């Protein structure tokens, strides 16, 4: 079994919104969301490493060059799946992997949402949060 880190981030996921204009800065809400994801990952990693033998522990990012699979399940999300995934992946860069080219598999799941009368997405009613799993696959896909 390959090592994995699973963690939960409480709060409404923030996706990178471009609003039709090219942003030359990262909005504060996006920066804060990335920080929450990074902190949740490092906390989960520390809990895992304190309770399992080193051989079964997730690898040290500094030495890890293998592939990773990332699964994201968001509830209460207002953004699009691709924008939420981008922020989670950006937050994990340098923590779970050195380069985003190591992400060989990405699965993003959002609850079913309905379009409102004006065509916009109705605000979800369920509790907000994101569950993320980073699985370390090794040097080749599925290794």
């Amino acid at each position: 079994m390959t090592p994995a880190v699973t963690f939960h981030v409480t709060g409404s996921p923030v996706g990178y919104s471009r609003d039709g204009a090219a942003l030359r800065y990262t909005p504060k809400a996006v920066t804060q969301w990335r920080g929450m994801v990074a902190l949740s990952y490092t906390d989960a990693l520390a809990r895992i490493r304190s309770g399992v033998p080193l051989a079964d522990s997730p690898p040290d990012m500094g030495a890890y060059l293998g592939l990773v699979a990332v699964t994201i399940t968001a509830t209460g999300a207002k953004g699009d799946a691709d924008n939420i995934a981008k922020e989670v992946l950006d937050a994990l860069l340098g923590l779970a992997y050195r380069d985003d080219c190591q992400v060989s598999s990405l699965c993003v799941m959002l609850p079913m949402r309905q379009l409102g009368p004006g065509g916009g997405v109705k605000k979800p009613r369920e509790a907000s949060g994101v569950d993320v799993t980073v699985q370390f696959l090794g040097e080749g896909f599925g290794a």
Side-chain angles (χ1 to χ4, degrees):
M1 183 173 152
T2 58
V5 177
T6 298
F7 59 96
H8 178 80
V9 184
T10 302
S12 184
V14 177
Y16 201 88
S17 174
R18 287 156 196 82
D19 294 331
L23 294 178
R24 296 191 186 343
Y25 67 95
T26 302
K28 185 176 181 178
V30 171
T31 302
Q32 290 173 337
W33 174 248
R34 287 181 188 170
M36 289 171 56
V37 172
L39 181 62
S40 298
Y41 174 82
T42 55
D43 284 352
L45 185 61
R47 280 194 307 276
I48 290 170
R49 287 192 170 152
S50 69
V52 299
L54 190 56
D56 296 330
S57 175
D60 176 27
M61 189 285 301
Y64 186 71
L65 296 174
L67 302 176
V68 297
V70 180
T71 303
I72 303 166
T73 305
T75 57
K78 298 174 191 163
D80 296 334
D82 59 331
N83 292 334
I84 292 168
K86 177 185 178 356
E87 295 314 320
V88 171
L89 294 175
D90 285 353
L92 294 174
L93 183 62
L95 296 173
Y97 40 84
R98 283 189 192 185
D99 190 298
D100 53 10
C101 73
Q102 289 174 263
V103 179
S104 65
S105 174
L106 174 63
C107 178
V108 183
M109 295 173 277
L110 298 178
M112 293 284 289
R113 297 182 282 179
Q114 295 179 334
L115 292 179
V121 175
K122 288 183 181 178
K123 186 176 178 181
R125 291 191 175 136
E126 62 269 23
S128 298
V130 175
D131 292 307
V132 180
T133 299
V134 179
Q135 186 155 12
F136 299 89
L137 301 174
E139 296 301 318
F141 185 76

